[in-house]
Amino acid sequence: MAEDIGAWFAGKLPAAWSAGPPDVNSDGDEILVVVTLPDVELASGTSDEGRAAARSARIDRFREETRDERVRIAREAERHFR
């Protein structure tokens, strides 16, 4: 069943959301889906602190912009995998 869940999410999630396949874990009651966002493109010489700030901003933006779609997919998964 775990392979089915991973495959289902790999097919459901928009390809642009992740730099690779999603990492899907399930414990019977919960399903955790983790995607790796494409890295930010910054000028060479950007400090580590600047790079960390840009990555954090990208994560925040991703969460805001995809919230409705993520909730829709989660509800569909609840119905599908009960």
Side-chain angles (χ1 to χ4, degrees):
M1 176 75 138
E3 284 182 17
D4 293 342
I5 294 172
W8 189 88
F9 276 99
K12 274 292 177 188
L13 299 178
W17 282 11
S18 186
D23 180 22
V24 180
N25 294 296
S26 122
D27 69 2
D29 292 335
E30 275 186 352
I31 299 171
L32 176 65
V33 180
V34 178
V35 298
T36 301
L37 299 178
D39 204 3
V40 293
E41 293 183 29
L42 300 170
S44 62
T46 301
S47 70
D48 289 342
E49 294 83 12
R51 190 167 299 282
R55 287 175 175 156
S56 179
R58 171 155 296 171
I59 292 166
D60 290 343
R61 187 176 118 213
F62 174 82
R63 287 179 175 157
E64 290 168 12
E65 290 179 353
T66 63
R67 182 171 286 116
D68 291 341
E69 183 72 3
R70 289 183 294 118
V71 167
R72 186 192 66 73
I73 292 169
R75 287 184 178 145
E76 191 174 337
E78 285 176 345
R79 285 189 303 272
H80 187 78
F81 294 108
R82 274 283 165 214

